[in-house]
Amino acid sequence: MPKIGVLVSGELDRSGRSSDELEQDIERILDVLEAGNAIGPVVGCDLVRSTIDVRFSVDGEDSAAAHRRIGDISEMIDEAVGGRVKTATTSAEPVEAACV
């Protein structure tokens, strides 16, 4: 049965944080993404804007399940770094699982 795949793009405003604090936030976010079974997580930061950018994918049996996972992961990120993550998603697309 095909699953639904969703690509998530997120941003956190971390104004007033030092570069060391930003690095610590990034480590906590990566830990959350790994614990939340996010697919292909990537996290980076813009030191000039003091923002952290997050990209990851999730899958689910249907669109609602995928979006619940996004909500759960976003909530975990918010709790880990004490900030509000703003997310945008691609449209949900069915994907076939394949071994290569």
Side-chain angles (χ1 to χ4, degrees), residues 10-28:
E11 181 178 287
L12 289 95
D13 183 352
R14 306 305 288 158
S15 299
R17 307 283 283 178
S18 71
S19 59
D20 287 341
E21 290 170 318
L22 285 171
E23 285 181 31
Q24 292 170 2
D25 287 345
I26 288 170
E27 288 177 24
R28 284 193 289 273

Side-chain angles (χ1 to χ4, degrees), residues 62-89:
D62 55 31
S63 184
H67 286 282
R68 276 193 299 276
R69 278 192 73 202
I70 294 166
D72 292 345
I73 290 172
S74 295
E75 184 177 327
M76 290 167 43
I77 291 172
D78 290 343
E79 290 174 5
V81 298
R84 188 77 193 134
V85 62
K86 299 175 193 169
T87 60
T89 61

Side-chain angles (χ1 to χ4, degrees), residues 39-81:
I39 302 167
V42 177
V43 181
C45 70
D46 183 330
L47 296 176
V48 174
R49 293 180 13 231
S50 292
T51 58
I52 296 176
D53 294 312
V54 180
R55 304 280 186 280
F56 62 95
S57 294
V58 298
D59 62 11
E61 294 303 319
D62 55 31
S63 184
H67 286 282
R68 276 193 299 276
R69 278 192 73 202
I70 294 166
D72 292 345
I73 290 172
S74 295
E75 184 177 327
M76 290 167 43
I77 291 172
D78 290 343
E79 290 174 5
V81 298

Side-chain angles (χ1 to χ4, degrees), residues 2 8 14 31 59 95:
V8 182
R14 306 305 288 158
D31 289 344
D59 62 11
V95 294

